[in-house]
Amino acid sequence: MADLNECVVKIAVSGETDYFHMDDVVYYRSGMTPDFVTRWLWYFEYLAALVKVNNPHRKVEFYKGPQDILVGKEWHEHRRATLLKSRATKLKQLEKGVVDDDLFHFKSQDNEAKKQQVLAQIDALNRDEFPFEEFPDYINKIKQYAVRY
């Protein structure tokens, strides 16, 4: 699980029409000590205020606090294990299911192709070569939201 002595700073903005759902994460930084966040709090609040001034029709949310999500290598291993479980379940469903085959055996061929695809995905996950999105440790899009056009 995530280290409780690490902190996160996050600045998110809502859409211009939907005020209640966060549209984009403008700034995200994890893995900081509480002492570091306390010393640099003025800077993070300044960034949030700068985004708010330049985006008056959006809701700007500033969060600082303990890191309660997995990032980096921990996230990668958790995601890989979850994908392995889901692919194994999908393979069991494909193997157990009775194929209501047609005259030319197209449905059983499709089922066999799906099995081969899932087996290839499981093999790629075991080799740690399966492409999936990584959760970043650091996001900085301040320039996109703090500059007026």
Side-chain angles (χ1 to χ4, degrees):
M1 205 57 197
D3 187 7
L4 296 177
N5 291 329
E6 292 183 349
C7 292
V8 170
V9 172
K10 176 177 153 184
I11 301 170
V13 294
S14 70
E16 291 188 16
T17 56
D18 189 3
Y19 200 68
F20 299 104
H21 295 92
M22 291 297 112
D23 189 29
D24 197 10
V25 175
V26 176
Y27 187 85
Y28 179 85
R29 187 168 178 187
S30 65
M32 298 180 290
T33 63
D35 182 49
F36 181 85
V37 172
T38 303
R39 281 186 285 138
W40 286 91
L41 186 60
W42 65 271
Y43 176 71
F44 300 130
E45 289 175 343
Y46 167 75
L47 289 177
L50 189 63
V51 171
K52 180 61 182 166
V53 165
N54 288 304
N55 298 284
H57 299 294
R58 294 177 181 241
K59 178 182 175 187
V60 176
E61 210 173 73
F62 174 67
Y63 171 78
K64 64 175 178 14
Q67 181 173 326
D68 56 355
I69 60 173
L70 300 174
V71 292
K73 185 72 173 161
E74 292 174 339
W75 163 254
H76 182 84
E77 290 303 318
H78 171 73
R79 182 71 177 141
R80 193 168 76 96
T82 305
L83 285 173
L84 269 170
K85 281 184 197 175
S86 70
R87 296 305 185 263
T89 303
K90 181 69 175 175
L91 185 62
K92 283 181 184 177
Q93 288 174 349
L94 289 171
E95 288 175 346
K96 276 187 175 181
V98 176
V99 178
D100 185 22
D101 215 356
D102 55 359
L103 182 62
F104 299 105
H105 303 290
F106 288 138
K107 290 184 182 178
S108 60
Q109 289 173 358
D110 288 344
N111 192 37
E112 202 56 42
K114 287 178 186 177
K115 283 182 195 176
Q116 293 304 320
Q117 182 182 12
V118 171
L119 283 170
Q121 290 174 351
I122 289 173
D123 191 37
L125 281 166
N126 285 330
R127 290 189 319 263
D128 202 11
E129 296 173 354
F130 188 79
F132 55 85
E133 191 172 328
E134 295 288 334
F135 192 84
D137 294 337
Y138 182 68
I139 299 171
N140 189 355
K141 299 179 187 175
I142 293 291
K143 287 184 181 178
Q144 295 174 4
Y145 287 91
V147 177
R148 286 192 179 188
Y149 298 103

